[in-house]
Amino acid sequence: MNPNYPFVIPKGEGRDQIGAACAYLGYGFNCSDPKQWIEAAKLIKATKARPNFAGFVDETPARDQMKHGLIAASMAYNGDIAGCKADGTCLKLKFYLPKQGSEIWVDTMAIPAHAPHPDLANEFINYILDASVGASLSNFNQYASPNAAAQPQLSGIMSSELITPTAEQMKNLQFLAPLTGAKYKLFNQIWTSVLQ
């Protein structure tokens, strides 16, 4: 990548950005020590000072800016890149999983204890878990499916390294631990200072 070519930093997920900086600094993606967060924040702030820093944007607009050649690099969701590769709109983009580590995540469906229509919510969840519906959803959005019954109906998604990391890559992927209370508030203060 040309060091003078513009790049952006996604703004929406502060934990992802701080986590990436922590991993780069050797603390692991799921760093939880406020001192490490501050050091990571300083690294991101220093990066913002580079003349080719183009600003903070959300992940999907960043992907679109890369597709159109407006920026050279950004963090992006693997499914977003798989989707534009599948439709042929970003065949020149390369997706890299950092060797220092990154986040692994899953979407969750849950019904709040005091939901006004729990039966309807349960009906919706059962609908999404139907094998053909789940496969159609994954084939449309290009994200993996944990639904074993749906997997035989997927259009090659699960064999793509972009969607299904190798065993070696999985060693460096971490679920982010939840933050609550004072620690959550402190993290948000640190991330807000980065955005300013």
Side-chain angles (χ1 to χ4, degrees), residues 131-188:
S132 61
V133 172
S136 293
L137 182 61
S138 285
N139 287 330
F140 172 76
N141 66 20
Q142 296 293 303
Y143 279 89
S145 175
N147 185 340
Q151 289 179 4
Q153 299 176 50
L154 298 180
S155 58
I157 294 169
M158 301 301 281
S159 62
S160 166
E161 194 175 297
L162 182 60
I163 301 302
T164 307
T166 66
E168 190 62 31
Q169 290 170 327
M170 288 292 286
K171 292 177 185 176
N172 294 321
L173 299 178
Q174 299 178 332
F175 286 101
L176 287 175
L179 297 178
T180 58
K183 205 161 189 180
Y184 178 76
K185 184 177 179 180
L186 175 60
F187 180 87
N188 282 334

Side-chain angles (χ1 to χ4, degrees), residues 65-90:
Q65 289 179 18
M66 285 189 292
K67 282 170 49 172
H68 297 295
L70 301 173
I71 59 172
S74 179
M75 292 176 78
Y77 296 120
N78 63 332
D80 278 355
I81 302 302
C84 68
K85 284 191 176 287
D87 70 19
T89 60
C90 67

Side-chain angles (χ1 to χ4, degrees), residues 25 30 39 52 58 80 82 105 142 162 177:
L25 292 167
N30 195 21
E39 191 176 344
N52 59 332
D58 290 322
D80 278 355
W105 55 273
Q142 296 293 303
L162 182 60

